[in-house]
Amino acid sequence: MQYQNESEQINRKQQLLRREIYDKGYDCQAFQDYMEQLKVNGGQDVNIWTYQELQEAISLFQTTNQPQMETIDLDDVSCRQSEFNDQVQFEAQIQDEQLPKIQQEQQQQNQKQQCQTISNDIHEEIVAKPSVDNDRFYQKIHLCKLQDKKMILTAKEINVSITKFEKIQGGLLSASYYIYVINTEPIGWNVQRRYNDFVWLREVLNKIYPGRYIPPLPKKTVLKNDQELYLIKRLKFLEKFLQSLFQSELIRHDKWFYAFLSIKEEKDFKHIQKLSTQLSRVTKLEQIISLDGQVQLQINDNLVTYNHESASLINQIDLSYKKLRKESKQLLLDFDQLSNTIYNMGQTCTDLYQFSNKFNQSISQGKISKLDILYISMNNMLVQWGNNLTAQIKIVQEELCSFFKFHHHSIASLKEFIKQKEQAQQEYEKFKSKLELKKHKLFTQQDFNRWEVPSIQIKALQDSNLTQNREVCLAIMLPQETTLQEELKNIFAFYNYQQFSEIDSHLQNTVTFFSEHFIKFCSLQKEMLAEQKLVWDKSIVNFNNLHYPQQIILKKT
């Protein structure tokens, strides 16, 4: 309930700001600078203001500043006309009872002139609107909720890691399960979470952050025989999930993510999870949370091209990552097969040594002790080479197989995110098409009663001979459905911009993540080569000692 009350208060303040500053055309940046002068961070954090303080500050700002532009809204025009018409009719009714007939006629003439003036105003306001295709270029800023930033270090200063997993034995009525120990340093948080807790966190973030990429989780699988290798791979996957979340400043300060990492007591964490059941999926732009309390809405040709090409790129990357996963698994099998083959060769050299040793033990003359050493040296060389390749198996598993598995799932999550934009676009375009057909049909029929426009406005159009002006009539008819179309357009414009923003960020991060990862991978390979070089160097010394008798022969190992 506390979270709900806080959310309602913040929403109420933001509605006040949007209504009094943004909607009235005041300079938003000038207002933020003004609020900064009144309080530290006053132009950034709405939480440090009470509702009454905001009202007073806005009133003072408006007395010394002028709106940058006056916005014209057709619904407001209709409302003003209706109010004016009601006032005129009310006055006319009173005067009809008191004035003589000639005065009534004069009053009617004046009323007609006033209506003509209204009609002219309507015509000027509508015609003044630029006749452009808004779907070719559309851009605006929409106010939303402001993220409540937690006192937490930046991504570069902090490390989130999963150190181990533990099995918790079940009781009489409960099954056994595994927990993962999560450390957040240098803050010092140490918590235990189950796999289902990770699922809960991702579902919550998806609910409250539409238009934001949320990294994937490994699929839920029933464990058989407590497969340790499977648990290790899952641990690494879950760790990458948390680290990816931490790269987003918006989510890094999220209160639910904060609770996931910091709340140690299980009963307290269960209480937080219970509170989250009250959350509804965010569907309104005003409910979206951002770092600066606003979201970008954009539709233009450049974005259309980018989103089309980027969606194609993501599909190609998805196929390539899938192929890399498959090839990494094959490489794992190849190294395993190669190491087994080399171990088998070493075992054959052991057999040779046993044959040689048995021969030397069975004779008293003509023994060749160097033959025993030769076969032992060959065995040592092959066994150490096999050990090196076995170590490569672990590297391939962690640094290639697990790595590409996570990023392949990441692309799948990104494709789901792109699908949200496509659905929003289809919903908007479908509604727009139907509404346009409906409006054109109503215009052709000239059935004014179905236009849902006040009668005074229809009369003004008739007096101005504008009822045959298709552009003007289409602009004012069916205002409620037109408003809904605008809302759908804004939602599409939001997802349209977010696809560009999130994919661009994802691709930029890919360069960073992959570069850092393969620096580590190359360093490991370099170390493996150095160790293998020592194996070859030792083997060369051993074989040299056999070839040149004057050198000291190495002891058997």
Side-chain angles (χ1 to χ4, degrees):
M1 182 62 71
Q2 179 183 356
Y3 290 123
Q4 187 175 358
N5 291 336
E6 291 176 358
S7 177
E8 290 175 355
Q9 287 296 324
I10 293 173
N11 190 42
R12 188 164 171 247
K13 294 174 190 176
Q14 290 174 336
Q15 287 178 354
L16 173 67
L17 290 169
R18 181 171 58 252
R19 183 175 64 251
E20 295 298 324
I21 300 299
Y22 181 76
D23 290 348
K24 291 186 177 181
Y26 286 93
D27 187 337
C28 295
Q29 185 59 50
F31 177 71
Q32 288 180 347
D33 295 340
Y34 171 76
M35 299 295 276
E36 289 285 346
Q37 295 175 5
L38 299 180
K39 283 187 180 184
V40 177
N41 291 330
Q44 303 295 327
D45 190 356
V46 73
N47 290 316
I48 65 178
W49 297 90
T50 65
Y51 189 86
Q52 184 177 356
E53 287 176 339
L54 275 179
Q55 286 180 313
E56 294 173 355
I58 289 170
S59 178
L60 289 173
F61 175 78
Q62 290 175 338
T63 59
T64 57
N65 291 268
Q66 295 295 326
Q68 289 183 315
M69 56 179 290
E70 182 178 357
T71 58
I72 299 174
D73 188 274
L74 290 176
D75 290 342
D76 291 341
V77 172
S78 301
C79 183
R80 293 199 302 270
Q81 289 173 325
S82 179
E83 292 174 354
F84 182 81
N85 182 48
D86 292 342
Q87 181 181 356
V88 170
Q89 289 180 343
F90 177 74
E91 292 176 353
Q93 183 179 356
I94 295 176
Q95 292 172 355
D96 283 344
E97 299 174 355
Q98 299 177 351
L99 296 177
K101 185 176 181 180
I102 187 170
Q103 291 176 325
Q104 292 182 20
E105 293 175 354
Q106 182 64 40
Q107 181 65 29
Q108 290 174 359
Q109 182 65 27
N110 292 339
Q111 182 177 339
K112 184 176 181 179
Q113 291 176 354
Q114 289 171 342
C115 290
Q116 183 64 39
T117 302
I118 294 173
S119 176
N120 293 336
D121 290 342
I122 296 172
H123 179 268
E124 290 175 1
E125 288 181 336
I126 295 175
V127 174
K129 288 179 173 292
S131 179
V132 298
D133 183 0
N134 282 343
D135 290 352
R136 292 291 303 279
F137 184 85
Y138 180 76
Q139 179 173 338
K140 65 186 293 187
I141 294 175
H142 198 94
L143 297 183
C144 63
K145 292 183 178 180
L146 189 68
Q147 179 68 290
D148 180 18
K149 293 186 179 180
K150 304 292 182 183
M151 295 300 295
I152 195 168
L153 301 178
T154 65
K156 292 183 179 180
E157 297 172 324
I158 204 166
N159 180 49
V160 180
S161 61
I162 302 179
T163 56
K164 61 180 179 179
F165 58 83
E166 295 179 1
K167 185 175 183 179
I168 305 299
Q169 294 294 339
L172 181 64
L173 301 176
S174 61
S176 300
Y177 61 91
Y178 285 88
I179 56 95
Y180 298 88
V181 179
I182 305 170
N183 286 338
T184 307
E185 299 297 344
I187 300 178
W189 292 337
N190 184 278
V191 297
Q192 298 178 355
R193 298 287 181 256
R194 300 176 62 173
Y195 171 79
N196 288 341
D197 297 330
F198 287 85
V199 174
W200 164 83
L201 175 62
R202 190 172 191 274
E203 289 177 349
V204 167
L205 296 178
N206 270 323
K207 274 186 178 181
I208 60 182
Y209 294 105
R212 297 283 180 177
Y213 163 76
I214 306 298
L217 284 173
K219 295 180 180 179
K220 188 170 185 177
T221 306
V222 178
L223 292 179
K224 297 180 180 179
N225 302 323
D226 299 334
Q227 303 170 6
E228 183 176 1
L229 178 60
Y230 174 84
L231 290 166
I232 292 174
K233 291 193 291 185
R234 168 165 283 193
L235 181 151
K236 294 295 183 183
F237 201 118
L238 294 174
E239 185 177 68
K240 286 185 174 69
F241 167 76
L242 294 177
Q243 291 171 348
S244 295
L245 284 178
F246 217 83
Q247 295 301 316
S248 169
E249 184 180 2
L250 178 67
I251 295 176
R252 188 162 66 246
H253 293 289
D254 176 77
K255 62 185 179 183
W256 306 101
F257 185 41
Y258 191 90
F260 179 90
L261 293 176
S262 63
I263 296 179
K264 190 167 187 178
E265 294 297 328
E266 184 176 2
K267 63 177 183 179
D268 295 334
F269 184 64
K270 292 297 182 186
H271 177 66
I272 292 295
Q273 290 181 311
K274 186 176 180 180
L275 287 176
S276 72
T277 59
Q278 302 174 12
L279 289 172
S280 299
R281 186 172 297 277
V282 171
T283 57
K284 301 290 186 181
L285 295 180
E286 295 79 10
Q287 300 171 335
I288 292 174
I289 303 172
S290 72
L291 291 172
D292 57 1
Q294 59 187 29
V295 290
Q296 291 277 351
L297 313 180
Q298 282 191 27
I299 304 173
N300 58 59
D301 291 344
N302 289 336
L303 272 186
V304 169
T305 301
Y306 180 92
N307 289 341
H308 174 75
E309 294 299 327
S310 63
S312 176
L313 174 63
I314 292 302
N315 286 329
Q316 293 168 343
I317 289 175
D318 182 36
L319 294 174
S320 296
Y321 282 178
K322 183 177 181 179
K323 189 175 180 180
L324 282 170
R325 281 186 63 188
K326 182 178 180 180
E327 291 168 341
S328 296
K329 290 180 180 179
Q330 184 60 51
L331 183 60
L332 199 65
L333 295 174
D334 292 343
F335 272 121
D336 186 56
Q337 181 63 46
L338 182 58
S339 62
N340 286 335
T341 301
I342 293 175
Y343 280 132
N344 290 337
M345 293 176 67
Q347 183 60 48
T348 302
C349 290
T350 299
D351 295 340
L352 286 172
Y353 162 73
Q354 292 174 348
F355 298 150
S356 172
N357 182 259
K358 181 180 180 182
F359 170 75
N360 285 326
Q361 294 292 332
S362 64
I363 60 175
S364 57
Q365 183 178 356
K367 294 182 178 183
I368 307 177
S369 57
K370 288 184 179 181
L371 191 61
D372 293 351
I373 298 174
L374 171 66
Y375 295 145
I376 290 175
S377 297
M378 291 170 60
N379 171 266
N380 289 343
M381 175 192 69
L382 291 168
V383 168
Q384 291 175 19
W385 187 11
N387 289 340
N388 189 288
L389 291 171
T390 301
Q392 282 281 14
I393 293 174
K394 183 179 179 181
I395 294 175
V396 170
Q397 177 64 63
E398 293 183 1
E399 308 303 328
L400 293 181
C401 292
S402 297
F403 180 79
F404 286 121
K405 179 180 180 180
F406 175 79
H407 287 283
H408 181 226
H409 281 280
S410 295
I411 293 298
S413 296
L414 204 58
K415 289 173 70 176
E416 292 177 3
F417 165 76
I418 293 173
K419 190 175 180 180
Q420 288 181 316
K421 189 272 294 184
E422 292 174 346
Q423 290 174 341
Q425 182 176 1
Q426 290 172 4
E427 187 174 357
Y428 161 63
E429 291 177 347
K430 182 178 179 180
F431 187 90
K432 176 188 175 184
S433 178
K434 286 185 176 180
L435 184 56
E436 285 179 348
L437 289 174
K438 184 177 180 180
K439 284 186 174 183
H440 283 291
K441 183 177 180 180
L442 290 176
F443 174 79
T444 302
Q445 295 174 345
Q446 291 287 291
D447 186 356
F448 304 132
N449 293 330
R450 297 174 60 191
W451 286 20
E452 298 178 9
V453 176
S455 58
I456 183 64
Q457 193 170 2
I458 295 295
K459 189 175 187 307
L461 291 173
Q462 290 173 330
D463 293 342
S464 302
N465 295 320
L466 289 175
T467 54
Q468 299 303 315
N469 187 315
R470 185 180 294 270
E471 182 180 1
V472 171
C473 294
L474 294 180
I476 66 170
M477 68 171 59
L478 304 178
Q480 292 184 349
E481 292 179 70
T482 302
T483 300
L484 178 56
Q485 176 183 311
E486 190 70 14
E487 291 175 358
L488 292 174
K489 179 178 183 177
N490 285 339
I491 292 173
F492 161 51
F494 165 72
Y495 280 109
N496 193 56
Y497 178 79
Q498 284 302 116
Q499 178 176 335
F500 158 72
S501 177
E502 293 296 306
I503 290 183
D504 179 70
S505 176
H506 184 86
L507 295 178
Q508 295 286 353
N509 289 335
T510 296
V511 176
T512 301
F513 294 156
F514 276 55
S515 297
E516 292 177 351
H517 178 82
F518 284 105
I519 287 172
K520 176 184 176 183
F521 177 78
C522 293
S523 297
L524 289 172
Q525 292 297 329
K526 184 178 177 181
E527 292 173 5
M528 296 298 298
L529 287 174
E531 292 179 6
Q532 186 60 46
K533 182 177 181 299
L534 291 176
V535 172
W536 301 138
D537 288 342
K538 290 178 182 179
S539 297
I540 289 172
V541 170
N542 288 338
F543 293 128
N544 271 334
N545 288 335
L546 289 171
H547 188 60
Y548 301 104
Q550 67 272 19
Q551 297 185 17
I552 299 175
I553 298 177
L554 295 179
K555 292 183 179 180
K556 165 173 79 170
T557 60

